[in-house]
Amino acid sequence: MNPSKKQKVCIVTGGNSGVGLMSAVGFAQVGHHVFIACRCASKAEKAVNYIRSSTGNLNVEFLPLDLASLDSVRTFAKLFQERHLPLHILVNNAGVFNARGTTKEGFELIFGINYLGHFLLTNLLLETIQHSAPSRIIMVSSDLALRPTSIKWERFVRKTPLNFLELYSLSKLCLLVLTKELERRLENTNVTVNAIHPGFVQSNITLPHRLSKYLGIGISPQESASGLLSLANSSAFADVKGKFFDYKQNEIELPDLAKNTELAQQLWEQSCLWTGYNRYNPTTTPEHDNAAGILRPYSLALSPTKVASITQSVFETVLPKAPKHFFYHLIRFLFTGKFGAIFLLLNQVRKKEFYMERHLDSDAVWSICQDKNLQQKLKEYLGEDLVLWRSEIWVNYPSQQLIPFWHQDSYPNLLQGEGKTINVYIALTEVNEWNGFEYIPNSQLTPDVSVKMKDPFSGNCLFDLTEDLEQQAVPVVLRPGEFVLFTNQLMHRSVRNTSGQVRLALTLRLTEPCVHIVPNYTPIYHKPVLL
């Protein structure tokens, strides 16, 4: 360690192994304060102990970061900012090569970890980086980023395809595009942004990389990290911006896509929408009344901790798990010709999310149905006897829009008899103007609203609203554990989720005992129950 040099503060994502670990060692050797950002605490602890013992620098710490979760990225940024430290060097190193699946928010896993998580992390820390200038941002890209000839946006919101190499190449290309865009946005600052290709490293990222050391091919993590450390520390790169280098510090010509300013702007705007960047302050919760078709927000009696526990349980044990007797119902619908129900069930199998009528087979959902504050408000509207005849769990992932059309629920067609009905929309996560639903107050509706088409599965009428009427739309804004009551006449639609967070809500549909389900309606799983 060289104590004569001014100490700088560094963050290295994926600093627990490979090039990231050796880069963290290099920073610690020159006396920098190093933060290792990675998902696994046990691996991070070993890395921190190794760096401290081998360099004599005790200013090495770990902060948890899971780049496959945008919430984790936000938490990391908050934890670091609470330390009130400067940030002189940010190394976006962590990455995966052949992983498959989706992130917590539903983005393709390789793209989400390699690029999207780093995009949000960089932007959340950017103000700190600028205030700490001179400072440097380094993107660990790859020479495979030179391969793509276009960006296929639709690939980023689906599960990893068989050709994972294409997604890896695209994710690393996006890092190059981001490098150039940040260069333009930080033009008049003393912050540099550059990218580096680490080479074929003898690391643990894939089986061939693990075997390369024994086969005598590739380079060591130490050799690869030496180029990154020069880019981060050397005065020779103090004024270099928007460049792409190999580990020997030779410049690599950027591909045309990375130099395309229109593409860079498009990627920037799309990334802001996907991550919900700069959208963390929802408007004040609006008040609603009977005239609008929706009753103003109320709070469950459940504590925030209990609501959070229920939410986690729904994600982990309710949605992914098919209800009891699932195949029995599927066969029953097949023989009775309930093709709409069959379509719904098969769609749930495809998505691996089972979200219809989950109130009886889940203690977590049932505890919400029994909430005393909820039942009190329902009894004020319906009377003492509450009949729950349908429930739905709604999950809206970033970039998705559940029901984009203006519609009124068709559920009155499934009921018969004189009596009141009401619906409850319960927020289990934050619901805001960027991920929830919006409605047209009943007082604004006119008789000449035209029907665009009829949904063949739900029976909902989909309406064609004028632009002037759409401007009267009001977003529903709720904190976790808050709920609203709304009528079947409410004209509403979901909004495209640009919050960067998964939205989870529970809808309960209730009526009085004097109202009955029509004989030809077959519940998916459960018959009505008395709360």
Side-chain angles (χ1 to χ4, degrees):
M1 182 173 71
N2 186 352
S4 65
K5 292 190 176 182
K6 183 178 179 181
Q7 184 189 68
K8 295 181 179 180
V9 179
C10 316
I11 291 176
V12 182
T13 67
N16 60 300
S17 65
V19 177
L21 175 60
M22 291 300 104
S23 299
V25 169
F27 289 133
Q29 284 176 334
V30 296
H32 294 343
H33 188 167
V34 183
F35 285 87
I36 287 177
C38 67
R39 182 178 56 180
C40 181
S42 59
K43 292 181 180 179
E45 183 180 2
K46 291 180 181 179
V48 167
N49 292 335
Y50 170 75
I51 297 169
R52 288 175 176 176
S53 62
S54 61
T55 65
N57 185 345
L58 299 182
N59 287 319
V60 182
E61 302 182 57
F62 158 66
L63 286 178
L65 173 65
D66 181 1
L67 288 163
S69 165
L70 297 179
D71 281 341
S72 175
V73 175
R74 296 186 190 98
T75 299
F76 175 92
K78 181 180 179 182
L79 289 173
F80 179 80
Q81 289 164 343
E82 287 175 348
R83 300 290 298 275
H84 301 292
L85 291 170
L87 179 56
H88 304 99
I89 302 171
L90 172 63
V91 180
N92 289 324
N93 162 76
V96 292
F97 182 69
N98 58 349
R100 296 186 183 277
T102 60
T103 66
K104 176 186 174 184
E105 290 78 19
F107 298 102
E108 192 282 319
L109 190 58
I110 297 174
F111 171 79
I113 293 175
N114 292 359
Y115 168 76
L116 201 59
H118 281 126
F119 170 87
L120 181 59
L121 177 66
T122 302
N123 278 284
L124 292 178
L125 297 175
L126 199 55
E127 185 175 348
T128 303
I129 293 172
Q130 289 178 271
H131 289 163
S132 309
S135 47
R136 306 184 189 188
I137 302 171
I138 299 173
M139 310 284 186
V140 178
S141 184
S142 168
D143 60 351
L144 291 176
L146 307 177
R147 295 180 56 174
T149 57
S150 64
I151 289 184
K152 301 175 182 178
W153 304 98
E154 71 280 0
R155 298 293 179 88
F156 300 149
V157 292
R158 300 175 181 172
K159 292 183 179 180
T160 312
L162 291 177
N163 183 14
F164 66 86
L165 190 60
E166 179 185 23
L167 268 299
Y168 179 82
S169 302
L170 285 170
S171 70
K172 293 300 184 178
L173 169 64
C174 287
L175 286 176
L176 295 184
V177 177
L178 178 60
T179 298
K180 291 298 293 182
E181 181 62 20
L182 282 172
E183 178 203 6
R184 286 185 283 269
R185 291 174 178 268
L186 298 170
E187 183 178 4
N188 297 317
T189 69
N190 199 6
V191 179
T192 66
V193 188
N194 292 288
I196 190 167
H197 167 46
F200 187 87
V201 184
Q202 298 164 349
S203 65
N204 60 359
I205 192 169
T206 68
L207 179 60
H209 286 81
R210 293 189 186 98
L211 296 176
S212 60
K213 179 179 180 180
Y214 305 101
L215 298 175
I217 59 177
I219 59 174
S220 68
Q222 293 90 335
E223 185 177 359
S224 177
S226 65
L228 189 154
L229 291 167
S230 294
L231 201 58
N233 292 325
S234 173
S235 58
F237 294 99
D239 299 316
V240 177
K241 300 181 179 182
K243 302 295 184 181
F244 184 30
F245 298 93
D246 65 16
Y247 71 96
K248 294 181 179 180
Q249 297 110 60
N250 298 314
E251 184 175 349
I252 301 174
E253 179 69 20
L254 286 166
D256 291 340
L257 289 177
K259 295 182 284 188
N260 186 322
T261 55
E262 292 184 3
L263 180 65
Q265 181 64 22
Q266 184 180 3
L267 178 62
W268 180 274
E269 292 175 355
Q270 191 64 58
S271 300
C272 287
L273 289 175
W274 280 336
T275 60
Y277 175 59
N278 275 346
R279 293 191 172 184
Y280 307 123
N281 298 307
T283 59
T284 304
T285 300
E287 293 188 356
H288 315 288
D289 54 36
N290 275 316
I294 188 168
L295 302 179
R296 69 181 190 175
Y298 306 99
S299 294
L300 297 173
L302 297 170
S303 68
T305 301
K306 182 61 176 177
V307 172
S309 175
I310 290 173
T311 301
Q312 183 177 359
S313 177
V314 170
F315 274 125
E316 295 180 356
T317 65
V318 178
L319 279 173
K321 183 180 178 182
K324 295 179 180 178
H325 312 302
F326 174 83
F327 292 104
Y328 163 76
H329 291 293
L330 186 60
I331 295 172
R332 178 166 58 90
F333 293 145
L334 183 63
F335 279 99
T336 56
K338 302 290 184 180
F339 297 111
I342 292 173
F343 173 82
L344 179 61
L345 291 177
L346 294 179
N347 188 53
Q348 293 184 71
V349 172
R350 179 185 65 84
K351 296 179 67 176
K352 296 182 180 179
E353 290 179 352
F354 301 90
Y355 44 82
M356 298 301 295
E357 298 179 36
R358 305 309 302 273
H359 53 281
L360 290 181
D361 67 337
S362 165
D363 292 338
V365 177
W366 187 243
S367 66
I368 297 176
C369 300
Q370 296 292 302
D371 181 85
K372 64 179 183 180
N373 286 4
L374 172 64
Q375 292 206 7
Q376 176 185 343
K377 293 302 175 185
L378 289 171
K379 289 178 180 180
E380 289 175 7
Y381 190 84
L382 293 178
E384 286 299 314
D385 295 324
L386 306 172
V387 177
L388 173 62
W389 68 278
R390 186 179 175 92
S391 65
E392 303 135 13
I393 296 173
W394 294 99
V395 189
N396 194 15
Y397 292 97
S399 82
Q400 294 185 7
Q401 187 173 7
L402 294 178
I403 305 178
F405 306 106
W406 289 106
H407 66 284
Q408 292 173 323
D409 289 333
S410 63
Y411 296 111
N413 299 330
L414 303 175
L415 303 173
Q416 61 183 14
E418 296 294 328
K420 296 179 180 179
T421 65
I422 196 67
N423 307 299
V424 189
Y425 181 90
I426 306 168
L428 297 182
T429 60
E430 180 182 286
V431 174
N432 55 47
E433 56 264 56
W434 304 301
N435 69 11
F437 74 94
E438 56 186 357
Y439 69 93
I440 306 293
N442 288 349
S443 58
Q444 301 296 325
L445 293 175
T446 57
D448 59 346
V449 173
S450 60
V451 176
K452 186 175 183 179
M453 62 176 291
K454 191 172 184 179
D455 187 337
F457 296 107
S458 68
N460 289 335
C461 289
L462 310 179
F463 294 89
D464 192 11
L465 271 58
T466 64
E467 184 176 342
D468 289 341
L469 190 53
E470 285 191 350
Q471 290 179 354
Q472 305 301 317
V474 179
V476 173
V477 180
L478 301 170
R479 291 185 291 268
E482 290 186 334
F483 64 92
V484 292
L485 309 182
F486 67 97
T487 66
N488 292 318
Q489 290 72 41
L490 189 71
M491 181 80 70
H492 60 288
R493 69 175 179 183
S494 70
V495 299
R496 182 167 293 279
N497 188 347
T498 59
S499 70
Q501 297 174 303
V502 182
R503 187 262 289 171
L504 181 68
L506 173 66
T507 297
L508 305 177
R509 305 192 185 275
L510 300 104
T511 186
E512 295 178 290
C514 56
V515 178
H516 303 284
I517 312 299
V518 295
N520 62 343
Y521 171 70
T522 304
I524 300 295
Y525 302 123
H526 299 304
K527 295 180 179 180
V529 294
L530 190 67
L531 290 185

